[in-house]
Amino acid sequence: MAIIGKVVHCGVDLLLVSACLAGIKRNTGLTVNVDRWENAEAKKYTRKYLNVGESLYDYAVASMASSKYCKRE
């Protein structure tokens, strides 16, 4: 059971890092430069990982925008 908990914890941590990188990209324009990497598989999976973060970021923004507890300033 402890191994499953650690795997879930690491997975959630990876999702949070990906969402944080998406927020940095949206606010500053800075992103991970995967074009310099030689390994095509690493490029492919890193792009997928970053796209998951973009989706999470979009979902979080949409949820907050529709919430009565948040407002735009």
Side-chain angles (χ1 to χ4, degrees):
M1 251 344 230
I3 293 175
I4 294 172
K6 288 182 181 183
V7 169
V8 170
H9 181 76
C10 287
V12 170
D13 285 348
L14 287 170
L15 290 174
L16 289 173
V17 169
S18 182
C20 181
L21 290 172
I24 291 169
K25 179 181 177 184
R26 295 281 174 94
N27 289 315
T28 65
L30 296 171
T31 189
V32 178
N33 186 8
V34 296
D35 295 328
R36 297 188 61 176
W37 298 356
E38 294 180 13
N39 190 342
E41 289 291 314
K43 285 182 191 181
K44 180 174 106 174
Y45 288 114
T46 303
R47 285 190 179 114
K48 284 184 179 186
Y49 171 71
L50 294 173
N51 286 337
V52 169
E54 292 275 339
S55 298
L56 285 172
Y57 184 81
D58 290 339
Y59 177 77
V61 169
S63 295
M64 289 183 73
S66 65
S67 172
K68 65 181 180 179
Y69 299 107
C70 299
K71 68 175 186 172
R72 292 195 187 266
E73 291 187 5

